[in-house]
Amino acid sequence: MIERSAESLALQDQIDKCVHCGFCLPSCPTYMLWGEEMDSPRGRIYLMKAGREGRAQMTDGFVRHFDACLGCMACVTACPSGVQYGPLIETTRGQIDRQHPRPFADRLFRSAIFAVLPYPGRLRVALAPLAMWSSVVSRWSLVVGRRAPDDQRRTTVDQRRTTNDHRPSTIFTRLRAALALAPRVTFSSLFAPAVPERTPAIGERRLTVGLLTGCAQRVMFPQVNAATARVLAAEGCDVVAPAAQGCCGALALHAGRLDEARAFARRAIAAFEQPGVDRIGVNAAGCGSSMKEYGELLADDPAWADRARAFASKVRDASELVDELGPPRATRHPLKLRVAYQDACHLAHAQGIRQAPRDLLASIPGVELLPIAEADVCCGSAGIYNLVEPDTARQLGDRKAGCIAAVNPDVIASANPGCTLQIAAAARRRGEDVRILHPMEILDASIKGGW
Ligand code: SF4
Ligand code: SF4
């Protein structure tokens, strides 16, 4: 039975708000794939209620329906009754984490993820063998004059399971998926210089923005942070990137590891509490959505509740910030590009931000925005989902890559590092060499007048 703690009792209102209308069902990726009520938002809310009332036990089958949920929040967008599914799934996952014994290999895999991903130093060490491999490959290519088939190899091993079977994935499937998803890193990208602690505004200062450099973003996509700082500075912002900042806690929060998420949140708040910081800019959708929730996350902590609310009120996605700044100050030079913009769930559904990134891209002369089918459907990345549920994630990734390929873009714009890795892996499976850039990288290129 699901425990009736003060935390879970506070969610009863959300459960009671559900009127079982089913409007959310067609928007739910797992319902779309399997057509099973208990793998829909309505079914999951029903199970939460049954668990609280003692009518359902926390069996493996019960837990499976919650493990299969992507946490994509498409149901929140679809729900006419305003059910806030986010806290419901996060709390349920927290209770599962505390009460449900998982097999040893499962626990080990999940622990390894949370021991490595949120810590840039450890993540660099974990990715160093890939950087070494990529250095050997490029030297070998120079010697023999051809590309070694590293991507093909990763792709092939990942192509073995293509079923509608949504049983738990084996440790081997998960490891194969992790390898297939791994970014193309080099030693110079892994150890790229950090964004300076202060980047002065060009021209008269409009705002001072604290920039979250993130954990995975900083290690895997340092060029996105550099581009974000340049764009904000060009638009008249002093950019402050405190060296003391760490992970924002998004991965832990979405997995229901609430105490861990709170510890990360406190550290982030302390790092950015500097005089004069007007906004906190974020260029990763999952991080921004979590940081906007800090007020609720730390509401019961008297020492931090007010600080958390003040912090959350300043958080903006980078595209939101550019929009908020008003008329552009920096000249946009033309870029002749056909761009498919991919809506990250934690931007579109969790934060309701759809138009600002599109406007940002459309403000660049020569950019043609291509509408893609199923734009509102999750690509399967979903935090750690593509690592722990690789089979389902892969089906969704393939579906997304197909929708994008149908419009044949020059560039895919993605505002979340997880989506970028997921779509790149899916494109490789299709044998496509796609170019995926963050909207801030595209805007930066336009402001600079070229790549
Ligand atoms: S969060 Fe996404 S996967 Fe989970 S129930 Fe809602 S729509 Fe379905
Ligand atoms: S749309 Fe909202 S109220 Fe209707 S079944 Fe889904 S969660 Fe419940």
Side-chain angles (χ1 to χ4, degrees), residues 24 27-31 39-42 44 68-76 85 89:
C24 53
S27 70
C28 173
T30 53
Y31 185 79
D39 286 308
S40 77
R42 183 174 64 184
R44 291 183 176 119
C69 170
L70 291 127
C72 67
M73 303 302 135
C75 46
V76 176
Y85 183 81
I89 185 68

Side-chain angles (χ1 to χ4, degrees), residues 17-25 41-42 45 75 78-83:
K17 263 191 191 174
C18 176
V19 295
H20 318 294
C21 64
F23 285 168
C24 53
L25 268 59
R42 183 174 64 184
I45 292 170
C75 46
C79 178
S81 303
V83 174

